[in-house]
Amino acid sequence: MFGEIVSVLTPDKVKLDGFYSQPAQPNSDSRTTVDAAVIVHGLSGNFYQSRLLKHFAIELRKTGIGSLLINTRGHDYLNSTPRMGRATTMGAAVEIIDECRFDLTAWTDFLVQRGHQRILLLGHSLGAIKSLYCQAHQSHPNVVGVAAFSATKLSYDSLLSSTGGDRFSHWLGVAQQMVSTGEGQRLLFVDFPFPTWMSADAYLNKYGNGDRYNWLSFLDRIVVPTLAVFGEIEINENPAFMAMAEDLRNIRQANFRVEMIANADHFYSARFKAASSVLGDWLNSLVG
């Protein structure tokens, strides 16, 4: 895929890198809703690793839509990122998800500076949650749509009542104790909702009581057309999507569309074309 490595400086002075690809041919159809997309990686991902997101970028470019594969400050598990000119430890293990607003705003501004006016936020997994969260809490005037692939359900009550609820309660207690003794930045290896290293601060921020990042609780704040896509396998088997099918059936919001892809897991293995087809059909159904 042809393009260039680019970088931005966020409003809070974090330097992030990405890969920008101009559309294969300029899209002059004024009815087309989107002319560029910010493509957001999932947990511990980055702008160059995901085969699924690179597939989206290539397919969008073919249809005359520019693509921008990005790093957020939560890229990889840990990274050393310049902030105010100094190397700072960031990454999925220590990130505060609310700060994604700074990252996505900076990248959207980048596309505007490159001449794009109608921008899509397209995210996978945690990147889908970040895309929804950002548009709900700090909407950008140039964002005209959100496509969320496999946005997990970050519900405190659901996690607590799940089969692993006892482990969830345990790790909440451990994290709270560490924060109370000034060790909030210390990493601990948790085994719920999945095995990973995470700081106590980050664990409480992401999973603590209040459902701050449960996108179902703030979906009604998003006024632009929104697409939510899920794999049939993950909905039926992945605990991160517990009772999601029922939740989706209860949504009665204009401009919100749900699509389920048969035989698809969380990473749409062997179902890339089906995923991009759903995205393309949704984009074609919209007019600017």
Side-chain angles (χ1 to χ4, degrees):
M1 184 171 65
F2 294 101
E4 59 179 307
I5 300 293
V6 295
S7 63
V8 295
L9 193 65
T10 68
D12 60 337
K13 309 304 181 185
V14 174
K15 182 180 178 294
L16 299 172
D17 299 313
F19 184 85
Y20 170 65
S21 181
Q22 294 184 356
Q25 54 188 12
N27 198 330
S28 60
D29 186 351
S30 61
R31 296 176 301 166
T32 302
T33 299
V34 171
D35 57 27
V38 177
I39 303 177
V40 191
H41 62 77
L43 179 74
S44 74
N46 48 54
F47 73 83
Y48 53 84
Q49 190 173 35
S50 170
R51 292 175 56 243
L52 173 65
L53 297 187
K54 284 188 282 188
H55 173 78
F56 283 145
I58 291 170
E59 294 302 307
L60 288 172
R61 185 175 182 272
K62 290 178 182 177
T63 63
I65 297 174
S67 64
L68 180 62
L69 291 154
I70 71 164
N71 273 352
T72 67
R73 67 192 64 201
H75 72 86
D76 300 282
Y77 275 108
L78 289 172
N79 65 71
S80 180
T81 295
R83 183 174 194 171
M84 297 184 181
R86 294 186 176 183
T88 305
T89 299
M90 296 185 178
V94 296
E95 75 172 322
I96 301 302
I97 296 174
D98 175 67
E99 294 177 344
C100 74
R101 296 179 295 113
F102 304 133
D103 303 343
L104 300 194
T105 295
W107 284 119
T108 303
D109 286 342
F110 170 89
L111 286 177
V112 173
Q113 292 163 7
R114 287 295 180 104
H116 300 286
Q117 295 299 315
R118 303 182 303 277
I119 296 166
L120 171 72
L121 297 182
L122 192 169
H124 173 247
S125 194
L126 182 57
I129 294 174
K130 289 178 178 179
S131 299
L132 294 164
Y133 182 85
C134 186
Q135 192 59 18
H137 294 85
Q138 190 170 314
S139 62
H140 195 290
N142 291 92
V143 170
V144 297
V146 179
F149 281 76
S150 298
T152 53
K153 183 179 177 180
L154 296 184
S155 166
Y156 175 87
D157 289 336
S158 293
L159 292 171
L160 200 59
S161 62
S162 70
T163 55
D166 57 338
R167 301 201 312 279
F168 180 51
S169 180
H170 166 74
W171 288 118
L172 285 173
V174 171
Q176 289 165 349
Q177 176 63 27
M178 290 172 61
V179 170
S180 69
T181 57
E183 296 183 288
Q185 286 297 299
R186 178 182 162 193
L187 295 181
L188 63 158
F189 189 80
V190 300
D191 63 3
F192 187 86
F194 52 88
T196 187
W197 288 97
M198 187 175 290
S199 74
D201 283 339
Y203 194 84
L204 292 178
N205 176 261
K206 188 175 183 180
Y207 299 115
N209 195 2
D211 281 10
R212 187 175 186 182
Y213 305 115
N214 179 3
W215 62 272
L216 292 164
S217 69
F218 53 74
L219 180 64
D220 58 354
R221 299 178 61 174
I222 302 175
V223 299
V224 298
T226 302
L227 171 69
V229 183
F230 302 91
E232 180 184 44
I233 294 174
E234 68 179 353
I235 286 290
N236 293 330
E237 300 179 5
N238 192 324
F241 298 91
M242 185 175 62
M244 181 72 84
E246 182 179 354
D247 293 326
L248 295 173
R249 284 194 295 270
N250 292 331
I251 296 175
R252 299 289 185 270
Q253 183 169 332
N255 285 333
F256 180 73
R257 177 168 161 181
V258 177
E259 294 287 349
M260 201 75 61
I261 298 182
N263 302 316
D265 59 16
H266 187 62
F267 298 99
Y268 300 87
S269 306
R271 301 294 285 153
F272 286 5
K273 289 185 178 180
S276 59
S277 178
V278 165
L279 176 63
D281 289 346
W282 175 70
L283 290 173
N284 290 335
S285 73
L286 306 177
V287 292

